[in-house]
Amino acid sequence: MAARRKDYPTAEELRIWRDFIEATEVLRSELSSRLQHESALSSGDYAVLLALRESDGRRLRSSELAVRVGWERSRLSHQIGRMERRGLIRREECATDSRGAEVVLTPEGAEAFRNASLPHLRAVRELFVSALTPDQLTAAEQIATALRTRLAASRDT
């Protein structure tokens, strides 16, 4: 029976877990709401534009873009379609592989990203960075790293 109890979180661990999840959900919701209000971009739009902005030639194959934003390919496909209709991105044949396509940041998409970035970064500072001490920011980084490491290991098994 004692071994079974170790398989489950304690009441205190569950309380901390819920606090963490609920706080991050409220933070994500508020950042997304502000981004949408201030720039008419969704958080999904911003994630795709950021990944393209940071890539060589401002273009990525769909499969690589999906990895960079951490989404399933079907979710990315729907997102790309919506963004393409708004002129933020376009699809082009891959120069190195005729079977594939690349997602390319358009000038309109680059401008939308630039216009959204400063207000979004101010909101990140206000809602996240300024709420924490330097030690808490370091701890947040360590927690994020530990969680990513554990999740990556569990996917690889």
Side-chain angles (χ1 to χ4, degrees):
M1 187 76 164
R4 257 186 84 132
R5 286 191 196 140
K6 291 184 181 192
D7 290 340
Y8 303 103
T10 65
E12 179 69 2
E13 291 166 338
L14 280 173
R15 183 192 61 73
I16 293 167
W17 159 250
R18 287 189 62 196
D19 285 350
F20 176 78
I21 292 301
E22 290 168 4
T24 56
E25 288 300 320
V26 170
L27 176 61
R28 286 177 65 146
S29 177
E30 182 63 22
L31 285 170
S32 292
S33 176
R34 288 186 185 195
L35 183 65
Q36 183 75 46
H37 177 75
E38 293 169 347
S39 69
L41 292 178
S42 70
S43 58
D45 294 336
Y46 193 84
V48 169
L49 294 174
L50 175 62
L52 292 171
R53 176 79 169 70
E54 292 178 338
S55 66
D56 288 337
R58 297 186 176 183
R59 61 180 54 233
L60 287 168
R61 291 189 64 133
S62 294
S63 56
E64 176 62 22
L65 182 55
V67 169
R68 291 217 187 163
V69 297
W71 295 349
E72 297 293 325
R73 291 184 71 180
S74 62
R75 177 180 179 191
L76 180 65
S77 179
H78 291 291
Q79 181 71 38
I80 287 171
R82 289 189 297 271
M83 293 176 74
E84 195 171 28
R85 286 188 291 279
R86 292 168 40 219
L88 300 172
I89 59 170
R90 69 178 178 272
R91 291 181 237 215
E92 292 182 358
E93 259 187 42
C94 182
T96 59
D97 180 1
S98 62
R99 296 172 298 158
E102 291 180 315
V103 179
V104 180
L105 182 64
T106 64
E108 296 82 5
E111 182 178 351
F113 179 78
R114 273 192 308 276
N115 292 339
S117 289
L118 289 179
H120 182 61
L121 293 174
R122 276 194 296 272
V124 169
R125 162 127 347 246
E126 176 193 340
L127 299 172
F128 180 72
V129 176
S130 295
L132 303 174
T133 67
D135 287 343
Q136 289 170 327
L137 280 171
T138 299
E141 178 185 32
Q142 293 167 343
I143 290 165
T145 299
L147 291 171
R148 280 196 182 105
T149 300
R150 173 62 62 98
L151 292 167
S154 70
R155 279 194 301 269
D156 293 340
T157 56

